[in-house]
Amino acid sequence: MLDFSGGSRPPFSRLPSDGTRGRAGRDAGAGSSGGATESRDPAARGGAGSGPEAGAGGGEEAPWLQRLVALRPPLLPALAVAAAALALAAGAARVLWRGGMLFPDGTPGWSFAVLTGCVVAHLVTMSRDRWWSGTGSGPALTLAVLLLYGWVPALLVSLAVVVLVGGARRHRWRQAFVHGAIDILGIAAAGLALALCGVHPSVEDPWQPDDWSPAAGAVIPLAAAGYLLTTRGLQWFCFAPRTRGLPSALRTAVVRQGLIAVALLGIAPLIVVVAVHKSPLLPLFAVPLIALDSTLRIARARAEEQLRDPLTGLPNRLWLLERAWAALDEAERTAERAALVLIDLDRFRSVNDTLGHLAGDRLLLQIADRLRAALPRGAEAARLGGDEFAVLLPVADSTTSAQRIARGLVSALSSPLDLDGLTLVLEASAGVAVFPEHATEAEGLLRRADVAMYEAKRDRTAVEVYEATRDGNTPDRLGLLADLRRALDAGEVELHYQPKVGFDGTVSGLEALVRWVHPERGRVPPDEFIAIAETSGLMPRLTEYVLETALAQVAVWRRDGLTVPVAVNVSPRDVHSPGFAGAVAARLARHGVPPGALQLEITEHVLLEDPQQAADTLAGLTGHGVKMSLDDFGTGYSSLVHLRRLPVSELKIDRSFVARLAVDTEDAEIVRCTVDLAHSLGLLVVAEGVEDDETWERLRDLGCDAVQGWLVAAAMPPGETTAWLRAREIPADRSLPSPPPARTP
């Protein structure tokens, strides 16, 4: 007998709509904000597997099992109802045709009726129990009637429960109808198992305990197995969501069904014995049957806790992966897109450190409520742990629409929060990954969304869509990382130098640009391998290599009478490394190069993560006499604010503003304002990406101090750079000749 009182979907498919919050426990990984850390390594986050066979429980399922649990015959519920109706009609007709009784009369009949009524009343009061777990009371009573009187009376007991419980819950009639049909088929399967063993009980000729032989020890387990396998199998294939993997909910359900099987084998025969010898005592079995249901209910609640975050009441990571598998399967079947949005609160750790973990938990509750309220129709939210949340979009029209939804969610979470009269603003960063463009399995989609979220947090852009070129953890890029490490050790990475030239013909400096020719792939774009170095922890090693090589070359040029300064790019990670300023000063001294011959190019991103550490490092560098240049000006988060805080002597206008200077009046105005601002602060201005004569002329008219680009010269190897510098040694009273033709990089 099935428990059809809660719904036709497994518990993990109902979690998002449940607003209850369990505060009983605090798990360091998911339940407590106090245990949250600010780990920002995409490879270290998530903890999920990357292969399509990686199930939610961590093990690999056999392919045949994956295909089996994914089957969802569309007409199966209707076929089950039709088959149950035929079985019920055939059984009743067979009994009536023989002139037999459908149900026992007298004291045994009334005793079973009272016991059935107790079970029905108990099921009605189980307001939120779900079919997924089943109950022990119904199957034990049904199997006892089956063993004693045959499968037709057992069908009537099941039918009575369906009618009575369904009548008490009128809004669940359709669901009760299907579950009742499944139960009838389970009883029929158990009756068939008895018949195969030569046991044919009926109301007129019960299967008395005195008739039981040692072979009965195998008959009863066989009947119980037939009932459980038939009912639970039909429940799964009729109602469970489509999924590739074997969900943890099914694994835990198997354990609970084992408890039910024990109850069937232990209680059902006892009911038979009491019915034969002391039938008036049958209603007393309501007590152990209800106790059995309570035990199963506790086991079910604990299983659901494994899928729910105890603090916010949102589903957790395990649920997300299982639900994502089902969503991706459905999207693949319908040729649609699905998306996953990973959201992380910025600087939430400071809230815990300042206000305490209890205040942090209360803020997370408000964040969870806002996330629920901001979800678009069909979307489902989960808390992955700490201050990290995820939103599953089972259907996404496009990557752009998924990104737009992510921006709306971030905006909703970033509005002011009230905590005991204290107004707080917690900004959020989100990463978006889309199926099938970015990944074809749930774990891969989660990892790629995490990579995109990390980029959004680092670049302060709020929302980023996954880009493979920025992911340093793909197999191809991991191989490239290993090759880059070997190339640095072998000295196979080269430096080319691009001049910066003033409008009066003077060479104001050179910029050292790293170049790498892979033995198999050929020339690797700098943006690609530098991004790999930045996300892998290899960047300090690359910066050390570039500084060492550039200073060695400067020393050679100075011995040859060429005293042009050289600029080297450094990353925010370099600036945040303790001792970086001292290491640069030591290298200058070792090569005998004066500090003024070295210029370090930084971006304003150095102030975003740890402003104090960055300020200390930059102050140390300028204190040693090293000049600083602000690169890519105008593309950052808050350029004017940062410009006041950075000890730079030079400002480089990004090529994106220079490229259309001659044809776009807005870009021209931006360049003019930038030049005026820099000059008012005593800074020199260099324009990057100058490629034509007209741009050269416009920059000169706007008051720019120097230019850099292909029109002057492309980046050249050291030998060509030396020859180029020698050719530029012209008398100071001569005007600058016409710019040389553009070079092919």
Side-chain angles (χ1 to χ4, degrees):
M1 184 179 303
L2 299 181
D3 170 17
F4 48 77
S5 56
S8 60
R9 302 170 66 189
F12 54 79
S13 67
R14 297 173 56 90
L15 281 173
S17 61
D18 190 349
T20 58
R21 300 190 186 110
R23 299 294 302 271
R26 290 289 185 273
D27 180 76
S32 173
S33 61
T37 60
E38 293 289 330
S39 173
R40 293 294 173 251
D41 182 5
R45 297 160 63 98
S50 59
E53 287 82 29
E60 292 188 359
E61 315 295 351
W64 67 267
L65 184 57
Q66 292 181 359
R67 292 193 296 269
L68 177 63
V69 299
L71 290 176
R72 295 297 176 271
L75 298 179
L76 186 58
L79 292 175
V81 171
L86 290 175
L88 182 61
R94 180 173 178 271
V95 172
L96 294 176
W97 178 262
R98 293 182 175 182
M101 299 174 60
L102 296 176
F103 200 78
D105 56 5
T107 302
W110 284 106
S111 298
F112 270 115
V114 172
L115 181 57
T116 302
C118 293
V119 171
V120 169
H122 166 60
L123 293 178
V124 171
T125 59
M126 295 176 65
S127 58
R128 289 189 56 80
D129 285 351
R130 294 172 169 81
W131 66 266
W132 180 257
S133 66
T135 62
S137 58
L141 176 59
T142 302
L143 184 62
V145 175
L146 174 67
L147 292 174
L148 189 58
Y149 299 120
W151 65 285
V152 175
L155 293 181
L156 295 179
V157 170
S158 176
L159 188 61
V161 173
V162 170
V163 172
L164 293 175
V165 178
R169 300 181 185 168
R170 289 185 288 269
H171 61 290
R172 298 186 184 275
W173 264 108
R174 179 177 300 178
Q175 162 188 327
F177 204 64
V178 177
H179 284 304
I182 292 176
D183 202 41
I184 290 174
L185 294 179
I187 295 170
L192 181 60
L194 291 178
L196 292 176
C197 296
V199 178
H200 303 278
S202 65
V203 175
E204 294 78 18
D205 185 20
W207 192 34
Q208 301 284 355
D210 296 338
D211 300 336
W212 293 358
S213 63
V219 174
I220 297 176
L222 186 61
Y227 174 81
L228 285 178
L229 291 176
T230 302
T231 55
R232 273 40 179 182
L234 288 175
Q235 289 165 17
W236 172 259
F237 291 114
C238 286
F239 300 117
R242 224 172 148 261
T243 179
R244 287 182 186 174
L246 190 61
S248 62
L250 182 57
R251 295 188 180 97
T252 54
V254 169
V255 175
R256 294 196 296 275
Q257 301 313 317
L259 294 176
I260 295 177
V262 172
L264 292 178
L265 299 178
I267 298 180
L270 294 178
I271 295 176
V272 172
V273 173
V274 172
V276 172
H277 297 287
K278 295 291 182 181
S279 58
L281 299 180
L282 280 176
L284 296 179
F285 274 100
V287 176
L289 291 178
I290 293 175
L292 173 64
D293 284 346
S294 298
T295 302
L296 294 173
R297 190 175 187 178
I298 293 173
R300 178 168 58 255
R302 290 180 177 175
E304 290 190 4
E305 286 178 1
Q306 298 176 3
L307 300 172
R308 186 187 297 279
D309 172 50
L311 173 64
T312 63
L314 289 173
N316 61 14
R317 179 186 297 272
L318 178 59
W319 174 91
L320 176 71
L321 290 174
E322 293 179 351
R323 182 67 187 91
W325 272 114
L328 298 190
D329 279 342
E330 182 64 18
E332 182 179 19
R333 186 179 65 83
T334 58
E336 293 181 339
R337 289 182 175 88
L340 188 65
V341 181
L342 196 65
I343 303 173
D344 190 272
L345 303 179
D346 296 339
R347 296 182 295 277
F348 182 78
R349 189 176 185 179
S350 61
V351 175
N352 281 341
D353 295 340
T354 304
L355 302 179
H357 291 171
L358 290 179
D361 285 353
R362 292 165 61 192
L363 286 177
L364 286 175
L365 287 172
Q366 293 189 45
I367 290 293
D369 290 339
R370 285 192 175 183
L371 189 58
R372 289 187 185 97
L375 288 176
R377 175 173 296 185
E380 298 168 297
R383 183 189 177 208
L384 304 187
D387 58 346
E388 193 172 53
F389 297 84
V391 173
L392 176 65
L393 304 176
V395 178
D397 296 334
S398 63
T399 301
T400 303
S401 67
Q403 186 179 20
R404 183 172 60 253
I405 291 173
R407 291 193 181 278
L409 294 173
V410 167
S411 177
L413 298 184
S414 300
S415 57
L417 295 163
D418 180 75
L419 185 66
D420 297 333
L422 179 64
T423 301
L424 300 175
V425 177
L426 296 178
E427 296 179 348
S429 300
V432 181
V434 179
F435 168 89
E437 286 88 339
H438 302 145
T440 56
E441 78 282 349
E443 293 84 353
L445 204 65
L446 179 61
R447 194 191 67 79
R448 284 160 175 78
D450 187 67
V451 170
M453 185 275 295
Y454 171 78
E455 297 294 337
K457 185 177 290 289
R458 188 185 66 178
D459 297 341
R460 302 285 294 179
T461 55
V463 176
E464 286 288 342
V465 177
Y466 174 79
E467 294 181 12
T469 57
R470 306 180 73 178
D471 185 358
N473 298 306
T474 60
D476 181 69
R477 290 168 68 83
L478 288 176
L480 199 62
L481 172 63
D483 293 341
L484 177 59
R485 194 182 302 273
R486 286 193 295 268
L488 291 175
D489 293 338
E492 298 173 356
V493 177
E494 300 178 352
L495 288 189
H496 289 192
Y497 301 87
Q498 188 172 39
K500 295 184 286 187
V501 176
F503 291 95
D504 60 355
T506 60
V507 179
S508 60
L510 299 169
E511 180 180 3
L513 300 173
V514 64
R515 297 291 185 263
W516 179 30
V517 179
H518 192 277
E520 298 177 358
R521 308 185 187 205
R523 181 176 176 180
V524 182
D527 290 345
E528 182 176 348
F529 67 82
I530 289 176
I532 293 175
E534 286 181 341
T535 57
S536 66
L538 189 60
M539 196 64 203
R541 173 75 179 90
L542 179 59
T543 301
E544 176 185 340
Y545 179 91
V546 173
L547 276 172
E548 191 71 20
T549 305
L551 290 177
Q553 184 60 56
V554 170
V556 172
W557 280 333
R558 293 184 67 84
R559 287 196 298 268
D560 293 341
L562 300 175
T563 58
V564 61
V566 172
V568 173
N569 291 276
V570 294
S571 72
R573 180 172 295 188
D574 299 321
V575 177
H576 291 123
S577 299
F580 179 70
V584 172
R587 283 194 172 83
L588 287 168
R590 186 168 62 252
H591 289 283
V593 175
L598 176 65
Q599 187 178 55
L600 297 182
E601 294 192 2
I602 60 174
T603 65
E604 52 201 307
H605 290 94
V606 299
L607 293 179
L608 294 181
E609 294 185 12
D610 191 344
Q612 187 58 50
Q613 176 65 44
D616 293 343
T617 301
L618 296 178
L621 289 168
T622 54
H624 287 300
V626 178
K627 295 181 180 180
M628 308 297 297
S629 175
L630 182 61
D631 198 12
D632 299 334
F633 182 79
T635 62
Y637 183 69
S638 182
S639 298
L640 297 181
V641 174
H642 294 159
L643 187 58
R644 295 168 55 90
R645 303 172 59 185
L646 293 172
V648 298
S649 59
E650 178 185 274
L651 183 150
K652 300 185 73 173
I653 302 176
D654 187 72
R655 64 181 66 247
S656 61
F657 296 104
V658 176
R660 295 179 52 81
L661 177 65
V663 296
D664 192 316
T665 57
E666 290 185 0
D667 284 353
E669 185 64 19
I670 291 174
V671 173
R672 184 190 66 78
C673 293
T674 302
V675 171
D676 292 344
L677 173 64
H679 286 167
S680 68
L681 297 175
L683 305 179
L684 298 175
V685 181
V686 178
E688 297 181 293
V690 179
E691 300 180 5
D692 57 76
D693 296 340
E694 188 174 0
T695 302
W696 170 287
E697 299 292 343
R698 292 297 301 274
L699 288 169
R700 183 176 60 183
D701 295 342
L702 292 174
C704 190
D705 299 299
V707 296
Q708 179 181 346
W710 292 347
L711 181 67
V712 176
M716 300 171 287
E720 291 185 26
T721 304
T722 301
W724 188 91
L725 291 173
R726 294 291 187 194
R728 301 290 293 188
E729 291 181 339
I730 55 177
D733 58 351
R734 290 183 58 184
S735 61
L736 183 69
S738 300
R743 297 169 55 93
T744 302

